[in-house]
């Protein structure tokens, strides 16, 4: 955890982005590091947890990170939480809470609340466009004999 916190401060001071750092570890060994790079890379998905997960997947050569643990300087936002589940990490340890993040201007509460709303009531409009090509692509996946499930 201290390595994640150290990264959060060092990379923030270096101008990469907000004060967030993350480590993916297996046992006592650090597999990958990540830090917030939203403003330096102009990538809204470049949160510390996301960059750590991407680096770990590349280092390990696989998308399934089972057997690894994430240490992050702050409670993950909804986007990062989704990535954590998709990566199948074993556990997450965090230091600052989402309330602590909100107190310094990183408030994700509107996103958490938005997920609980029906699609029609969300802040950003979502409209389904049902097209036969979309259904055909899903059928092709269902029938693909050499697909890699994830």
């Amino acid at each position: 955890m201290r390595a994640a916190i150290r990264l959060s401060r060092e990379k923030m001071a270096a101008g990469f982005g907000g004060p967030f750092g993350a480590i993916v570890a297996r046992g006592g060994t650090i597999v990958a590091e990540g830090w917030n790079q939203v403003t330096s890379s102009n990538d809204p998905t470049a949160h510390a947890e996301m960059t750590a997960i991407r680096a770990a997947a590349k280092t390990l050569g696989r998308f399934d990170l089972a057997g690894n643990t994430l240490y992050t300087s702050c409670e993950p936002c909804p986007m990062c939480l989704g990535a954590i589940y998709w990566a199948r990490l074993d556990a997450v340890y965090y230091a600052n809470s989402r309330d602590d993040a909100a107190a310094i201007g990183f408030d994700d509460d509107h996103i958490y609340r938005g997920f609980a709303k029906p699609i029609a009531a969300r802040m950003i409009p979502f409209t389904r466009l049902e097209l036969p090509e979309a259904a055909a692509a899903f059928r092709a996946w269902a029938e693909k004999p050499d697909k890699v499930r994830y």
Side-chain angles (χ1 to χ4, degrees):
M1 178 59 77
R2 287 189 171 92
I5 296 166
R6 176 186 46 77
L7 271 174
S8 75
R9 292 200 61 160
E10 286 176 3
K11 300 304 182 176
M12 174 195 64
F16 283 96
F20 305 99
I23 300 291
V24 174
R26 185 177 192 94
T29 303
I30 294 175
V31 173
E33 300 178 335
W35 53 90
N36 185 285
Q37 300 172 45
V38 170
T39 58
S40 60
S41 67
N42 292 316
D43 179 353
T45 71
H47 290 196
E49 298 89 343
M50 299 294 284
T51 61
I53 289 168
R54 290 172 185 154
K58 184 174 183 179
T59 296
L60 296 172
R62 61 182 211 254
F63 57 82
D64 183 337
L65 300 180
N68 294 278
T69 300
L70 179 72
Y71 295 86
T72 179
S73 64
C74 187
E75 182 178 358
C77 76
M79 174 186 65
C80 295
L81 183 59
I84 289 163
Y85 278 94
W86 278 112
R88 294 175 177 80
L89 289 157
D90 285 3
V92 176
Y93 294 91
Y94 64 94
N96 294 308
S97 72
R98 70 189 202 196
D99 293 330
D100 297 328
I104 63 165
F106 295 94
D107 191 357
D108 299 326
D109 195 51
H110 68 287
I111 301 171
Y112 284 103
R113 287 191 321 269
F115 285 158
K117 294 180 181 179
I119 288 177
R122 291 184 181 162
M123 183 173 43
I124 297 174
F126 281 69
T127 305
R128 182 174 181 188
L129 302 176
E130 295 184 66
L131 298 173
E133 305 92 78
F138 270 30
R139 277 193 307 279
W141 172 259
E143 297 165 2
K144 185 173 173 41
D146 61 342
K147 66 181 162 249
V148 177
R149 294 188 181 274
Y150 58 95

